Amino acid sequence: MSRKVEIILNVKEEVFRDNVIITGFPGFGRVGYTVPKYLSVALQMKKVGYIMTERMPSVILVEDDGIGLPFEIYQNNNITVLMNRAVPEIIDQNVFSEKISSWIKQMGFKYAVLVGGLSREFMNENEVYGYRWISNTSYNEPSLEAPKMEKGLGVVGPLALLYIYLEKLKIPTIMVLPYSIVEGVDYDAAFVGVKAILKSLLKMEAAVPELEQLAVKQREEIDKIVKMLQSETQKEGPSNIYM
């Protein structure tokens, strides 16, 4: 019996057509969560839906726009953010990735931007850009300034699964991987990822100063959220960690 993942929307599906969708998962430096979080606030996105899995992470959070669930969808001005405050249970990760990829295809998104952290262990001393990136065989959209990720490195966990299913469905996809600390929240890495996405992909340089001001206010909130999520993860046992 296949496991069930349900996407619940409170807007018409047409709102997503030709959008860019941005998402990631909490991993190294919490970059895959912090970047979508910052973007949703800076670009004044509204909550338009959420996702249910068979084994939901047992946590909710009080935020500015109400109660935050583990997996929520935000949208504004042709940009959509899938905010994963937690990582799906291992048993649900394949079906979660397959469902999200099929939904992206069905809604007619323009392309997908995946965000995660790349361990600073692999960063050169004279690094200029602070990130690396990869793209799939269907991606012909804007490229980024930094070099692509070097041979011999890879990505594991739910971010890799999502990339695999997006490739299967021929959905244009680019993955942005700022160099990050492994433990804790790496705000510097998050800013690197946000700026690369805003300037090179979304062509929204004007949003960066506003984002930096908002991020100062968001840090305390994000620290509280991360501590709560880490506490919940420790109670339930180890989860998949990835680059």
Side-chain angles (χ1 to χ4, degrees), residues 31 113-119 122-135 143-151 153-155 159 174-180 189 192-193 196-197 201 243:
V31 173
V113 181
L114 308 184
V115 189
L118 180 61
S119 175
F122 303 112
M123 185 169 66
N124 297 323
E125 289 185 10
N126 301 319
E127 174 61 34
V128 175
Y129 300 99
Y131 70 94
R132 291 294 184 265
W133 62 283
I134 59 175
S135 58
S143 60
L144 297 173
E145 295 178 351
K148 286 192 172 182
M149 189 163 65
E150 292 84 353
K151 291 181 180 179
L153 300 182
V155 180
L159 197 68
I174 185 169
M175 187 183 294
V176 183
L177 300 161
Y179 288 110
S180 170
V192 167
I197 291 169
L201 300 181
M243 296 167 70

Side-chain angles (χ1 to χ4, degrees), residues 180-219:
S180 170
I181 61 174
V182 174
E183 301 293 337
V185 185
D186 194 330
Y187 293 101
D188 292 333
F191 276 124
V192 167
V194 164
K195 290 176 183 178
I197 291 169
L198 282 174
K199 290 182 178 181
S200 298
L201 300 181
L202 304 181
K203 311 298 182 185
M204 298 176 67
E205 294 189 38
V208 174
E210 179 184 2
L211 172 68
E212 292 175 344
Q213 293 175 6
L214 285 169
V216 172
K217 299 178 182 178
Q218 291 287 313
R219 285 194 179 202

Side-chain angles (χ1 to χ4, degrees), residues 26-185:
F28 288 180
R30 297 276 164 166
V31 173
Y33 161 72
T34 309
V35 170
K37 172 68 175 177
Y38 279 170
L39 287 170
S40 70
V41 174
L43 302 181
Q44 300 179 339
M45 295 186 175
K46 293 183 179 180
K47 191 182 301 184
V48 297
Y50 59 96
I51 299 168
M52 298 290 293
T53 63
E54 286 203 25
R55 290 182 60 179
M56 287 290 289
S58 53
V59 59
I60 58 172
L61 304 162
V62 180
E63 300 195 340
D64 291 339
D65 59 351
I67 304 300
L69 305 182
F71 314 115
E72 292 190 312
I73 302 166
Y74 289 76
Q75 198 275 343
N76 188 30
N77 194 29
N78 293 324
I79 302 169
T80 297
V81 160
L82 168 54
M83 192 181 303
N84 300 306
R85 295 182 174 90
V87 176
E89 293 283 344
I90 292 177
I91 194 171
D92 288 325
Q93 287 180 12
N94 264 283
V95 67
F96 184 93
S97 299
E98 184 176 25
K99 179 70 174 184
I100 295 303
S101 300
S102 297
W103 179 74
I104 290 173
K105 183 81 170 181
Q106 180 184 352
M107 295 299 104
F109 280 91
K110 188 175 181 181
Y111 63 92
V113 181
L114 308 184
V115 189
L118 180 61
S119 175
R120 287 187 180 173
E121 168 187 353
F122 303 112
M123 185 169 66
N124 297 323
E125 289 185 10
N126 301 319
E127 174 61 34
V128 175
Y129 300 99
Y131 70 94
R132 291 294 184 265
W133 62 283
I134 59 175
S135 58
N136 70 0
T137 56
S138 299
Y139 186 82
N140 295 307
E141 302 295 338
S143 60
L144 297 173
E145 295 178 351
K148 286 192 172 182
M149 189 163 65
E150 292 84 353
K151 291 181 180 179
L153 300 182
V155 180
V156 300
L159 197 68
L161 276 175
L162 186 54
Y163 182 96
I164 291 167
Y165 282 106
L166 291 167
E167 170 71 24
K168 177 185 176 183
L169 295 178
K170 302 186 185 304
I171 298 167
T173 302
I174 185 169
M175 187 183 294
V176 183
L177 300 161
Y179 288 110
S180 170
I181 61 174
V182 174
E183 301 293 337
V185 185

